[in-house]
Amino acid sequence: EAEVAQSPRYKITEKSQAVAFWCDPISGHATLYWYRQILGQGPELLVQFQDESVVDDSQLPKDRFSAERLKGVDSTLKIQPAELGDSAMYLCASSLDRKETQYFGPGTRLLVL
Amino acid sequence: GQNIDQPTEMTATEGAIVQINCTYQTSGFNGLFWYQQHAGEAPTFLSYNVLDGLEEKGRFSSFLSRSKGYSYLLLKELQMKDSASYLCAVRDGAQAGTALIFGKGTTLSVSS
């Protein structure tokens, strides 16, 4: 069964450092989402891509976060500089198209010290 | 505004039936989803409702009433492995994107 791949699974960093997360969606899925989930909360959208284009990045803290999906396949989310409040689970999800069911990857758990 | 409410915690016994309720207020509506999330893991898709009524899938059923802004997830013949967080999520449809708006999740504990 096809799955969304993410790496790394865990990341510990110090504040002010740069971190990057990678996501490889299910093959053929045009839509890719990055969500952030704080412990005890539901996931919240950071950015949505349709192929290589950004559809919605209204909730992305653009002063420190950036995301790209250059070839419309895999995607990278970067934080620079990391802050203590960025500690969370970063989830990538993909769907065949915008209105199809979203399938989540295993997530990257980030701890900022 | 956008708001999705679900109970924080529920407990049940193995073999029983449990109903997890979800109420929502969103700018638009283009479908309601239920996901299961075990501790430290990613959410996994359980069910999808876009029209009023009941959708059944094995031990799991989900109901939607759009006029009431209400949904529930029904779990039958509970098993220990059903202990998890259950997330209710709405696709707003009025936003530029099609991302889901999630509730905070309901932590279900199943005991023997």
Side-chain angles (χ1 to χ4, degrees), chain A residues 5-90:
Chain A
Q6 288 188 248
S7 66
R9 293 292 309 276
Y10 304 92
K11 179 69 177 179
I12 300 175
T13 190
E14 294 183 345
K15 62 180 181 178
S16 79
Q17 296 298 303
V19 292
F21 313 134
W22 177 79
C23 171
D24 192 13
I26 295 172
S27 178
H29 280 199
T31 313
L32 185 147
Y33 306 83
W34 284 100
Y35 289 88
R36 177 169 61 183
Q37 185 176 26
I38 297 169
L39 196 62
Q41 305 288 317
E44 293 182 332
L45 178 74
L46 290 173
V47 61
Q48 176 185 346
F49 289 93
Q50 181 69 19
D51 299 309
E52 67 278 4
S53 300
V54 172
V55 174
D56 185 357
D57 63 355
S58 58
Q59 301 303 311
L60 187 72
K62 298 182 187 64
D63 58 334
R64 297 186 300 107
F65 285 66
S66 63
E68 60 184 17
R69 193 184 184 198
L70 294 176
K71 297 182 179 179
V73 182
D74 58 338
S75 175
T76 302
L77 178 70
K78 297 179 181 178
I79 308 174
Q80 182 173 17
E83 295 180 352
L84 296 178
D86 296 331
S87 295
M89 173 83 93
Y90 290 82

Side-chain angles (χ1 to χ4, degrees), chain A residues 9 33 35 37 40-43 45 48 55-56 89 91 98-107 109, chain B residues 30 33 35 37 39-45 48 87 91 95-105:
Chain A
R9 293 292 309 276
Y33 306 83
Y35 289 88
Q37 185 176 26
Q41 305 288 317
L45 178 74
Q48 176 185 346
V55 174
D56 185 357
M89 173 83 93
L91 293 163
R98 298 187 190 206
K99 294 188 176 181
E100 300 296 323
T101 297
Q102 297 177 30
Y103 296 93
F104 285 82
R109 186 172 294 280
Chain B
N30 196 6
F33 296 77
Y35 283 82
Q37 186 175 28
E41 298 182 9
T44 55
F45 170 73
Y48 167 64
L87 297 165
R91 187 159 55 206
Q95 305 300 318
T98 51
L100 299 177
I101 303 165
F102 284 86
K104 293 183 178 181

Side-chain angles (χ1 to χ4, degrees), chain B residues 15-93:
Chain B
I17 299 173
V18 70
Q19 178 175 313
I20 303 174
N21 296 322
C22 171
T23 57
Y24 64 89
Q25 290 179 309
T26 55
S27 304
F29 180 84
N30 196 6
L32 187 142
F33 296 77
W34 285 94
Y35 283 82
Q36 180 191 60
Q37 186 175 28
H38 285 99
E41 298 182 9
T44 55
F45 170 73
L46 289 178
S47 69
Y48 167 64
N49 296 72
V50 66
L51 299 176
D52 291 351
L54 188 68
E55 293 285 340
E56 297 185 86
K57 189 185 296 184
R59 295 189 299 116
F60 295 78
S61 302
S62 57
F63 172 83
L64 174 67
S65 169
R66 289 172 296 169
S67 63
K68 296 182 179 179
Y70 168 71
S71 173
Y72 68 72
L73 179 69
L74 193 71
L75 292 77
K76 304 175 185 176
E77 301 170 11
L78 281 173
Q79 302 174 10
M80 298 293 284
K81 67 178 182 179
D82 296 330
S83 293
S85 179
Y86 291 84
L87 297 165
C88 174
V90 172
R91 187 159 55 206
D92 187 305

